[in-house]
Amino acid sequence: MSVIDEVKYSKDDPDEYGVNVNVKKTSKESSRINDQERAELISKSVKVSEELFPPVFFSIDNAIKRLKINNENINFYIAPDAVANAQCRVTPFSVYVDIIIASRLIELLDKDELSFVIGHELAHYLYKHYLYPHPNLAFSELDNINLLHLSKSAEISADRLGLISCGNVKFALKAMLKTASGLPSNYINFNFGVYLKQLTDLKEIKNNISQL
């Protein structure tokens, strides 16, 4: 069993919540739209290479090696964005896997912390989370709750793979704290106990979907 299979959260499974993942072949029209989206991505961002972005390439290479995966069809792009985030864009039945990293995120995190984010985004591809229906597509309140549970479970799996990718829980927590606050290291006293207590305080809030 690979490390990817070992760390996957047991409830990260559509069957666990009665969710039907039914993927049909994409139509010519949707394929055309996907091609347009990739063209826009390529025209408005820069593909990561060792020659252009050595530190970012190091973070990606570090994650790839720790996860022991083949990244032949995985492309990484840097997009100009003031919001510190990243996303994995996968089209079913397509050969393209695009992971887009916001420029602000790269400014905010060091190389090991960025490896955590890279591993998190790779998990969404490796575990095929892109096939999971979005909670907004639910047909009923029960469907919405089940899809929210599934989405939260997918994020747990992704964080676990992110941890493997960076190799140290301290790097993972620093990445989480920096992205949550939007602040660089010189503004933060990394007291993780205080930060984790804030997260546990969510349990005291009634009707909070973050608890799902």
Side-chain angles (χ1 to χ4, degrees), residues 113-174:
E113 295 159 6
L114 186 57
S115 288
F116 168 78
V117 176
I118 297 298
H120 180 105
E121 296 305 323
L122 284 169
H124 291 314
Y125 161 60
L126 296 169
Y127 293 136
K128 298 184 178 181
H129 292 154
Y130 54 89
L131 297 179
Y132 293 1
H134 193 278
N136 289 345
L137 300 177
F139 294 105
S140 66
E141 184 177 354
L142 178 60
D143 285 338
N144 180 257
I145 292 173
N146 285 334
L147 289 176
L148 285 171
H149 274 294
L150 181 59
S151 177
K152 293 292 183 182
S153 297
E155 292 302 315
I156 292 174
S157 291
D159 281 345
R160 288 181 175 183
L161 219 56
L163 176 57
I164 298 297
S165 299
C166 70
N168 191 311
V169 68
K170 181 178 72 173
F171 297 144
L173 288 172
K174 287 179 72 175

Side-chain angles (χ1 to χ4, degrees), residues 27-75:
S27 66
K28 289 183 178 180
E29 176 61 19
S30 59
S31 296
R32 184 184 65 80
I33 294 173
N34 291 329
D35 288 342
Q36 290 176 345
E37 289 178 346
R38 284 207 87 241
E40 183 176 6
L41 171 65
I42 294 171
S43 66
K44 295 184 178 180
S45 59
V46 183
K47 188 174 182 179
V48 176
S49 66
E50 187 174 13
E51 294 79 10
L52 282 176
F53 308 106
V56 180
F57 183 87
F58 171 87
S59 299
I60 294 170
D61 191 55
N62 186 44
I64 294 292
K65 288 179 178 177
R66 287 181 180 273
L67 297 179
K68 300 178 181 180
I69 62 174
N70 182 355
N71 65 326
E72 184 177 348
N73 294 324
I74 306 175
N75 304 296

